[in-house]
Amino acid sequence: QKIQADRLAVVGQMASSIIHDIRGPLAIIRGYAELAVAGTESTEKRQRFANPIPAEVSRLHDMARDLQEYSDGTSSVALIPTAIEPFIESFLELIRPDFSERSIHIIHHLQYEGNLMMDAGRMKRAFHNISANAADAMASGGSFMVTSSQVGEHVHIELHDTGAGVPDDIQDRLFEPFVTSGKTHGTGLGLAVVNRIIHEHQADITVATSTTGTTFTIRFPVPMEGT
């Protein structure tokens, strides 16, 4: 009975988290859809109402993907030599529109510009999850910086924000599932998914945080000669 009760508690926590988090984008989609099809507004205004809908659908899709990836526990990773500079540029282009709207200034400085063995699609997903947390931590704007450098036998990629930092009570559990603090969206699985992706790349990740910002450091092995 205790095992069953524990399992039900976990299921209840998952269900509560998921239901709470999908209500936000669903409400936005419904509201904007109703305004967009209403015949009382001009075509231009109805188009403006429709514009946010694809982004909210994408957010729901991302939530579903995080849940499936974490619950499946399986993924296919294709590690190939990937030039770090175009990878970072592509990632920054992905987040730039949202960060610009939030008054977050993006900085990048790459001392290491060689190759890394990675699955670019999955690693971009990990970077995006980290940047989404960073954006939430900078509600009033700030700076987001990406750097790369070689330190011995590893390449360090750091993602730094100037937010308020990670609360003390969750710092030790940051990469556990369903750990969130003050967020109005998401599943609480973002950093758990990040942790899995990083380890799939034979890399590791650490976090340093204070009231003036948070830095995620990902350490990749230096590729062998010729890759």
Side-chain angles (χ1 to χ4, degrees):
Q1 287 180 340
K2 185 178 186 307
I3 291 172
Q4 185 178 13
D6 289 343
R7 286 176 177 170
L8 287 173
V10 172
V11 171
Q13 183 183 21
M14 289 177 62
S16 176
S17 174
I18 295 164
I19 291 168
H20 176 269
D21 293 328
I22 67 174
R23 278 178 175 165
L26 283 177
I28 293 171
I29 291 168
R30 178 178 178 177
Y32 279 121
E34 289 175 348
L35 290 169
V37 299
T40 57
E41 303 290 350
S42 67
T43 301
E44 181 183 353
K45 187 171 286 188
R46 281 187 282 127
Q47 180 62 48
R48 284 207 310 272
F49 291 146
N51 286 340
I53 293 176
E56 295 303 317
V57 172
S58 294
R59 184 144 70 93
L60 283 172
H61 179 267
D62 289 345
M63 290 180 188
R65 180 166 54 181
D66 276 351
L67 286 164
Q68 183 167 4
E69 284 184 2
Y70 199 84
S71 61
D72 287 350
T74 57
S75 61
S76 56
V77 180
L79 301 181
I80 62 173
T82 303
I84 191 62
E85 185 172 14
F87 169 79
I88 295 294
E89 289 286 357
S90 175
F91 159 63
L92 295 180
E93 283 302 310
L94 174 68
I95 67 172
R96 187 166 278 117
D98 181 50
F99 275 39
S100 178
E101 286 186 8
R102 296 172 182 244
S103 299
I104 299 172
H105 181 53
I106 295 175
I107 306 165
H108 71 286
H109 179 62
L110 307 180
Q111 292 182 340
Y112 179 87
E113 299 180 351
N115 288 343
L116 289 175
M117 297 298 295
M118 69 166 63
D119 182 319
R122 285 186 63 74
M123 188 55 67
K124 190 177 293 182
R125 178 73 182 143
F127 277 41
H128 187 267
N129 282 4
I130 293 172
S131 70
N133 277 11
D136 285 339
M138 295 183 285
S140 301
S143 295
F144 181 72
M145 182 165 62
V146 181
T147 65
S148 68
S149 60
Q150 183 170 344
V151 182
E153 297 300 313
H154 291 86
V155 174
H156 290 198
I157 297 182
E158 295 187 349
L159 296 94
H160 173 77
D161 68 64
T162 57
V166 179
D168 293 341
D169 60 330
I170 65 169
Q171 287 182 19
D172 294 338
R173 301 180 294 119
L174 201 55
F175 294 108
E176 295 179 10
F178 310 115
V179 174
T180 62
S181 177
K183 295 182 67 171
T184 58
H185 59 270
T187 59
L189 284 174
L191 291 181
V193 171
V194 167
N195 196 41
R196 172 170 289 169
I197 292 172
I198 298 303
H199 285 98
E200 287 170 348
H201 285 72
Q202 289 83 55
D204 61 59
I205 183 168
T206 57
V207 184
T209 187
S210 71
T211 54
T212 58
T214 299
T215 301
F216 286 84
T217 301
I218 306 171
R219 300 193 320 146
F220 293 88
V222 173
M224 297 176 62
E225 288 287 336
T227 59

